[in-house]
Amino acid sequence: MKIKLRDGWYDLLRSAFADFTRNKTRTFLTALGITIGVLSVVLLIALGLGLKNYINQQFESLGANLVMVMPGNAFSQSEGGGMSNMRSMGTSFMGITFDEQDYLALNRIGNIDYLTPLFYKSGVIEGNNQRKTGSIEGANEDIFNLMNVEIMVGDAFSKADVSSRAKKVVLGYSMAESLFYDPKEAYGKSIDIDNQRFKVVGVAKKKGDPDMDDAVIVPYKTTFGTLNPNKTFYSIYAGISSKDKVAEVKEQMKTVLLKKYKKDEFSVVEQTEILNTINQIFTVINAVLVAIGSISLLVGGIGIMNIMYATVTERTKEVGIRRAIGATERDIMMQFLAEAVTLSVLGGVLGLILATLIVLVIRIFFPASINLLSVIITFAISSAIGVGFGVFPARRAAKLPPIEAIRYE
Amino acid sequence: MLKLQNVYRTYHLGDEQVHAVEDISLDIKPKEYISILGTSGSGKSTLMYLIGLLEQPTSGKILVEGKDVSKLSDDELSVIRNHFVGFIFQQFNLINKFTVLENIMMPAKYAKEKLDFDPEERALELLKRFNMLNRKDFFPNKISGGQQQRVAIARALLMRPKLILADEPTGNLDSKTGEEILNLLEELNKKDGVTIILVTHDHSVASRTKKTIYIKDGKLVGKYI
């Protein structure tokens, strides 16, 4: 019986291909509908994944085991995490700010290797008769270790520079490049921020993270004054070198902060928690993208249905002949379904190949990727479309009265 | 072998009822060679399709080897059509996208039970017998009408049916080729013992069979033996 089954499938496919080759243009155009649908779905997934990879890379460029103290409870896991907290994120930015006392209190906890308060402000930086808008970041000397910022020329500012409120800065690579053309040239020069003169003591290596590359890093105590008159910080970053101490240290940090703030006024999160939240957001974005792309698949499916109806009418006589020699309704139904599925899957595979080629090109600029899921989705969706949109025409063929079918001219 | 008992087939054309076949009873015995003779629109083709189980009677019974087929499902009827009956048509009704050999083998694809012969072997045997082995890989629209009809006969014979139904088998052929086809049918009846029912409007064709049933306005009006 096994041989018969193979013969059956062979006959189905042989019949399908015989018809496809007879109507090459029509077959191609019909399959093209599915090709475009699959192409758009796979590309959208690839770009969505790419965006996610890109952001993950940005986070991974931060130091390991980074714990961030932030206002609000946007990322707190105990609150359920993820999307449910998106609403509170809006308010958190307008919530509390931290001060130097908080930083000093946290600094007393053991097992923290690096700790810096973080002040952030956007501003105009002038130097070498150029002006450039960038981010001014106030931090202590630990920032360089915490954020994996390597110095290309010169040196980072020191602990003493922070204490003495030295007017020294480290320039991000792109910032130095914008002002001095050759980033190395910036070393030893002066720049002005808010009419205050700073000396460039170091220039950072290119990091690939626009936030850091366009930044001017200033000792945080130096910002106290015109840049940061309230002496506040938006967050405090801690680096813990031993991974198994992270949970314990986090708890200690919370205990310290709870003395001053309410439970939902701040959060102590690891970067992995933020990543999880971002990944959840991207899962939703991806789903929306796929839903949009699916509209074109739907249109492609309707194209297949249309052509299959035409095919059934055209081949009424063939149906009659097959019925006369012993084909059951089911046999006829299977034959046309097999054709619809073959057409749809062919279109899907073509779409997948095109998408792969496009993604290979995009990868030069952007970490887009095609994963196994896209491939499975392609086959599942295009077979489902073949069945879904092929079933009605196939049923019409199966239900043709044999005697009328055989007399059909 | 095959019995029709008071078979009616009625069509509805708008409000009007048309009796294509009216109160026909027949008893066809094994190895018979019968023609059904009638003019165009006499109901002879409808009668043939009823016998071939492509059409169900409005009332009356059709018995195949004693079994009432009017209550069978589509699947069961298809099985009988597949191995009990072989059809030959005026238009040959071959499928042009398949080769001659593939066309002949097609009934085997729809066999629901394991065959006790190799369909390809049998198809080649039939082609050889009909002197058409050199045409086995041709497509039907590339061979002559007489050759096409022989392919159709080979297809009808593949499953070793007991009954062959031929609907105006010579209608699309010139008289010489038609004669060859009739000789072939005669030989099948005589040598192979296949029961043949031949539907025609042509008296000279009908005269070649052993028995003729005359049909007019859906009714059986006479039998000539």
Side-chain angles (χ1 to χ4, degrees):
Chain A
M1 284 316 272
K2 220 172 186 177
I3 291 162
K4 206 194 131 266
L5 191 74
R6 195 201 65 199
D7 281 1
W9 279 106
Y10 174 77
D11 176 55
L12 287 181
L13 290 177
R14 171 87 174 73
S15 172
F17 278 101
D19 245 66
F20 295 162
T21 44
R22 204 177 48 178
N23 295 305
K24 284 191 194 86
T25 313
R26 192 171 83 176
T27 304
F28 173 72
L29 289 176
T30 310
L32 192 65
I34 299 296
T35 302
I36 292 171
V38 166
L39 181 67
S40 55
V41 169
V42 173
L43 273 188
L44 286 170
I45 294 176
L47 292 178
L49 281 173
L51 206 56
K52 190 168 147 182
N53 290 346
Y54 178 73
I55 289 178
N56 282 355
Q57 276 175 16
Q58 296 303 315
F59 268 90
E60 278 158 15
S61 74
L62 300 176
N65 302 330
L66 184 65
V67 172
M68 300 169 220
V69 180
M70 298 203 281
N73 60 354
F75 295 102
S76 100
Q77 290 288 306
S78 57
E79 298 290 323
M83 294 306 292
S84 57
N85 287 316
M86 283 301 286
R87 217 178 297 126
S88 62
M89 244 173 101
T91 56
S92 74
F93 293 127
M94 290 172 277
I96 57 155
T97 48
F98 304 100
D99 59 25
E100 200 175 5
Q101 293 308 313
D102 301 326
Y103 160 64
L104 294 172
L106 291 171
N107 210 9
R108 277 190 281 274
I109 300 171
N111 291 322
I112 296 181
D113 299 275
Y114 304 107
L115 187 75
T116 181
L118 218 63
F119 164 77
Y120 172 92
K121 178 186 177 174
S122 181
V124 176
I125 292 98
E126 292 172 71
N128 194 24
N129 294 322
Q130 304 289 322
R131 289 163 63 87
K132 163 95 176 142
T133 307
S135 54
I136 299 149
E137 295 187 21
N140 69 16
E141 70 288 353
D142 282 354
I143 185 87
F144 302 103
N145 283 316
L146 278 168
M147 308 288 272
N148 282 345
V149 178
E150 289 179 67
I151 305 296
M152 184 174 67
V153 280
D155 261 314
F157 51 76
S158 65
K159 191 170 184 165
D161 291 330
V162 177
S163 312
S164 67
R165 303 178 71 165
K167 299 260 182 186
K168 292 178 179 176
V169 294
V170 171
L171 291 188
Y173 185 92
S174 307
M175 177 55 76
E177 196 179 29
S178 305
L179 296 176
F180 295 92
Y181 307 116
D182 179 1
K184 286 180 186 137
E185 281 295 307
Y187 173 63
K189 303 273 165 52
S190 296
I191 58 156
D192 291 326
I193 308 170
D194 263 10
N195 295 321
Q196 293 179 65
R197 183 143 293 193
F198 295 86
K199 191 180 177 198
V200 179
V201 294
V203 178
K205 272 190 193 166
K206 196 172 177 73
K207 212 167 170 324
D209 169 2
D211 272 353
M212 281 316 278
D213 285 342
D214 265 338
V216 177
I217 305 168
V218 188
Y220 79 88
K221 280 192 190 236
T222 314
T223 66
F224 291 173
T226 52
L227 286 173
N228 185 7
N230 298 327
K231 301 184 181 180
T232 56
F233 304 112
Y234 297 115
S235 56
I236 298 168
Y237 282 15
I240 299 138
S241 58
S242 149
K243 197 169 177 68
D244 31 295
K245 294 273 191 243
V246 172
E248 185 193 326
V249 173
K250 265 171 76 182
E251 281 314 306
Q252 287 174 314
M253 289 167 84
K254 279 183 197 165
T255 312
V256 168
L257 291 166
L258 275 172
K259 285 177 189 160
K260 189 164 159 190
Y261 304 106
K262 291 196 194 95
K263 193 171 170 249
D264 56 358
E265 280 180 328
F266 71 94
S267 43
V268 178
V269 291
E270 280 170 74
Q271 78 188 59
T272 51
E273 294 172 65
I274 298 176
L275 264 185
N276 286 343
T277 305
I278 287 174
N279 283 344
Q280 278 173 334
I281 294 170
F282 272 103
T283 306
V284 175
I285 291 176
N286 252 342
V288 172
L289 287 178
V290 169
I292 294 168
S294 302
I295 294 171
S296 52
L297 269 175
L298 188 74
V299 175
I302 293 169
I304 285 198
M305 181 141 89
N306 189 18
I307 286 302
M308 287 311 292
Y309 269 125
T311 303
V312 169
T313 309
E314 240 171 45
R315 287 156 65 191
T316 301
K317 184 125 191 154
E318 181 190 322
V319 171
I321 297 168
R322 286 178 185 265
R323 294 282 277 145
I325 62 176
T328 60
E329 286 182 10
R330 212 185 108 83
D331 289 328
I332 300 294
M333 174 113 181
M334 285 304 289
Q335 181 194 338
F336 283 92
L337 260 188
E339 281 183 34
V341 171
T342 308
L343 194 59
S344 181
V345 170
L346 276 181
V349 169
L350 191 64
L352 188 64
I353 292 170
L354 284 178
T356 309
L357 292 177
I358 292 174
V359 165
L360 283 178
V361 174
I362 293 177
R363 276 178 86 98
I364 300 169
F365 319 100
F366 185 74
S369 70
I370 287 189
N371 57 3
L372 186 65
L373 185 72
S374 322
V375 179
I376 293 171
I377 284 179
T378 303
F379 281 99
I381 288 185
S382 48
S383 323
I385 284 177
V387 173
F389 289 91
V391 76
F392 295 102
R395 230 165 64 139
R396 174 182 283 185
K399 293 288 178 194
L400 282 171
I403 187 161
E404 279 170 41
I406 207 152
R407 282 172 170 171
Y408 185 87
E409 289 304 328
Chain B
M1 185 175 84
L2 189 109
K3 273 186 189 165
L4 273 70
Q5 294 175 348
N6 311 102
V7 168
Y8 283 78
R9 176 66 222 192
T10 313
Y11 293 105
H12 295 270
L13 285 174
D15 293 338
E16 213 182 329
Q17 278 199 345
V18 181
H19 297 290
V21 167
E22 202 174 336
D23 195 22
I24 287 187
S25 297
L26 280 178
D27 188 357
I28 293 153
K29 296 186 173 62
K31 299 185 183 177
E32 275 194 311
Y33 187 17
I34 308 171
S35 55
I36 300 174
L37 183 64
T39 53
S40 160
S42 61
K44 61 183 191 304
S45 288
T46 305
L47 180 60
M48 192 198 91
Y49 290 126
L50 281 165
I51 295 170
L53 308 181
L54 278 170
E55 183 86 294
Q56 289 282 66
T58 312
S59 69
K61 270 186 186 174
I62 298 176
L63 301 159
V64 172
E65 296 187 311
K67 195 164 148 198
D68 185 359
V69 297
S70 44
K71 289 175 188 70
L72 295 184
S73 69
D74 172 70
D75 280 10
E76 291 166 311
L77 288 173
S78 301
V79 168
I80 298 175
R81 276 201 300 270
N82 185 242
H83 70 251
F84 181 75
V85 196
F87 285 95
I88 301 166
F89 303 92
Q90 182 177 359
Q91 312 287 345
F92 323 130
N93 283 348
L94 299 171
I95 298 175
N96 284 330
K97 62 187 174 189
F98 295 123
T99 63
V100 160
L101 184 63
E102 286 170 325
N103 263 287
I104 297 174
M105 285 169 61
M106 189 160 288
K109 309 279 187 199
Y110 295 120
K112 299 290 178 253
E113 277 168 36
K114 195 172 178 163
L115 299 172
D116 55 2
F117 59 90
D118 176 8
E120 186 167 353
E121 218 169 85
R122 174 149 171 84
L124 291 170
E125 219 170 80
L126 287 163
L127 278 172
K128 196 175 168 192
R129 179 171 170 186
F130 297 168
N131 283 324
M132 285 197 53
L133 208 51
N134 57 347
R135 295 283 183 273
K136 73 179 171 72
D137 295 322
F138 279 56
F139 288 94
N141 48 2
K142 300 281 185 252
I143 58 176
S144 73
Q147 289 175 327
Q148 288 192 52
Q149 196 59 298
R150 276 185 277 168
V151 172
I153 295 171
R155 179 180 66 187
L157 288 171
L158 183 84
M159 303 293 282
R160 304 180 196 277
K162 290 192 173 150
L163 178 66
I164 292 271
L165 295 173
D167 186 6
E168 302 273 13
T170 59
N172 266 16
L173 303 172
D174 59 64
S175 55
K176 185 174 166 282
T177 321
E179 184 67 25
E180 284 169 18
I181 294 297
L182 288 173
N183 288 342
L184 186 60
L185 289 176
E186 220 166 84
E187 184 195 311
L188 288 174
N189 175 251
K190 264 189 202 157
K191 275 196 189 167
D192 302 43
V194 185
T195 310
I196 297 176
I197 300 176
L198 191 152
V199 174
T200 183
H201 68 281
D202 188 337
H203 283 272
S204 65
V205 172
S207 67
R208 298 281 303 262
T209 62
K210 294 176 192 164
K211 192 164 136 189
T212 299
I213 295 161
Y214 190 64
I215 198 169
K216 194 178 175 187
D217 297 330
K219 286 182 206 131
L220 209 131
V221 290
K223 286 184 194 177
Y224 312 94
I225 301 168

